[in-house]
Amino acid sequence: MTSPLPSAPRARDASVLDLAPVVPVVVVEDAATAVPLARALVAGGLRAIEVTLRTPAALDAIRAISGAVPDAVVGAGTLLTPAQVTESVAAGARFLVSPGWTDVLLTAMRASGVPYLPGVSTASEVVALLERGVREMKFFPAEAAGGTAYLRSLSGPLPQARFCPTGGIGPGNAPDYLALPNVGCVGGTWMLPDDAIAAGDWARVERLARAAAALGAARDRQPGA
């Protein structure tokens, strides 16, 4: 992931992995909820928001957040095709995430001009991306693929690779992932309860987002962090 994020306040923020300790993974069923949802997440301290392309409302949601929530860094997830890459960037996505990768998809993401996190779950996939100059990746499905033990094992022979683990991560195990030297952030959905979204309880979403953002402060207080 080589392209810097637009308007990053510090050089460190040139990476989406460093924007927040947790990236909310959002499935939007109704685009009308996108803006208040994003505002609640940003107010809670989670600026980077991944909207997954799993619903017909996803691109409209990205477009709405991009236009109405300037403090959010909205990205597109579950990218599977070059066409989705093009559509997502046109809608305002500022980073791209895929559950896996092929050379065709990787070429499209690289050409998009925005940061990207191709998905990996094996050491061979990591090495293949490193050969192509990609050092920041999504580790998915994190728990099913080996969890913290697997990522810790990768950090020795492949220290140049950094990850955003996603899949099976919640408030109980997120700190274990964030304590790893090769993990920049984690992705999760626990700050987005279905009942809170259905009820428009954005104050609850903000509280959960703030608790998730606090995981980063706890990590930074650890010796050697």
Side-chain angles (χ1 to χ4, degrees):
M1 194 169 69
T2 57
S3 300
L5 285 167
S7 304
R10 305 190 307 272
R12 177 177 168 83
D13 287 341
S15 167
V16 68
L17 296 185
D18 297 319
L19 285 173
V22 179
V23 176
V25 180
V26 183
V27 180
V28 178
E29 300 290 349
D30 180 357
T33 67
V35 168
L37 175 60
R39 285 174 174 159
L41 292 171
V42 170
L46 302 182
R47 292 179 58 211
I49 301 170
E50 176 189 338
V51 177
T52 66
L53 300 191
R54 301 181 190 177
T55 69
L59 289 174
D60 285 339
I62 292 171
R63 195 172 291 110
I65 295 170
S66 178
V69 192
D71 289 335
V73 180
V74 62
T78 321
L79 290 168
L80 303 176
T81 68
Q84 289 178 324
V85 170
T86 300
E87 292 166 348
S88 298
V89 174
R94 294 171 63 184
F95 65 93
L96 308 171
V97 185
S98 65
W101 66 278
T102 65
D103 279 323
V104 170
L105 182 57
L106 187 66
T107 297
M109 290 194 292
R110 192 190 302 272
S112 72
V114 301
Y116 53 93
L117 292 172
V120 297
S121 61
T122 69
S124 293
E125 291 170 322
V126 175
V127 170
L129 284 178
L130 291 174
E131 284 183 349
R132 291 160 174 79
V134 179
R135 289 179 168 78
E136 297 186 347
M137 311 164 197
K138 172 178 178 171
F139 182 64
F140 175 84
E143 283 289 281
T148 55
Y150 193 91
L151 284 171
R152 187 178 295 109
S153 296
L154 290 181
S155 67
L158 303 170
Q160 62 272 55
R162 296 182 71 215
F163 301 95
C164 174
T166 303
I169 297 177
N173 60 359
D176 296 331
Y177 281 92
L178 291 169
L180 297 175
N182 55 350
V183 169
C185 64
V186 300
T189 62
W190 72 87
M191 71 299 297
L192 303 163
D194 290 341
D195 57 342
I197 295 174
D201 189 352
W202 309 123
R204 181 182 173 196
V205 172
E206 181 180 340
R207 287 195 301 273
L208 292 170
R210 185 170 292 110
L215 296 175
R219 175 179 61 180
D220 292 342
R221 288 195 296 269
Q222 292 179 0

